[in-house]
Amino acid sequence: MQPVKATRSPSTVFPLYSNTISEKHIRRGLYLTLKHAPAFVLLPLAASLVLELGNMVRTGELIKLWSVASQTDLTFNLVTVVICCSVLLAAILSFFLLQTRPVYLVDFSVYKPPDSWMVPAARFLDCSRASKARTGGTLLQFGPQ
């Protein structure tokens, strides 16, 4: 007796994810990916720049660069470039750090006053008529008339 081979149809080779994942989840994932894409791109770039600057300080190349710039009257240009890069980095950092965060309602409760604070509708209407706060219109009707 030969073993029977299970054959798969071409439609079942890959699972149909459209049956298990709704479109709202795909949209949400795409939204989050695009929202955080600048951070994903700029974070490795900033890290590599900091590492390269640290390497230049460690090997003394930064001091050599500054001395060459001061000898050839490029000090002003170098200072300008450093200040512009610092301002740009601060602006990008503040953009990401000062973004509004979502606020979630953690606990919700309604204040229920004690029963001694209850006022009958008739007394409320009498006080409203006596205060003459409403002019030219009828007062609200409470309860059966």
Side-chain angles (χ1 to χ4, degrees), residues 74-90:
L74 291 177
T75 307
F76 178 73
N77 290 341
L78 186 62
V79 170
T80 305
V81 168
V82 168
I83 289 174
C84 287
C85 288
S86 300
V87 168
L88 182 66
L89 183 64

Side-chain angles (χ1 to χ4, degrees), residues 9 21 25 32-33 35-36 41 43 53 67 83 96 101 114-115 121 131:
S9 66
I21 300 175
H25 297 329
L32 288 174
T33 302
K35 179 181 176 187
H36 297 294
V41 171
L43 192 63
L53 185 63
S67 65
I83 289 174
F96 287 114
R101 303 285 189 253
D115 290 337
S131 71

Side-chain angles (χ1 to χ4, degrees), residues 39-104:
F40 292 145
V41 171
L42 291 176
L43 192 63
L45 181 67
S48 65
L49 287 175
V50 166
L51 289 173
E52 184 62 32
L53 185 63
N55 190 24
M56 288 177 73
V57 168
R58 187 175 50 86
T59 59
E61 290 180 28
L62 194 61
I63 296 171
K64 290 177 191 174
L65 181 65
W66 184 261
S67 65
V68 168
S70 63
Q71 290 173 358
T72 58
D73 293 330
L74 291 177
T75 307
F76 178 73
N77 290 341
L78 186 62
V79 170
T80 305
V81 168
V82 168
I83 289 174
C84 287
C85 288
S86 300
V87 168
L88 182 66
L89 183 64
I92 290 172
L93 223 77
S94 65
F95 174 75
F96 287 114
L97 293 178
L98 298 177
Q99 280 183 340
T100 58
R101 303 285 189 253
V103 176
Y104 297 102

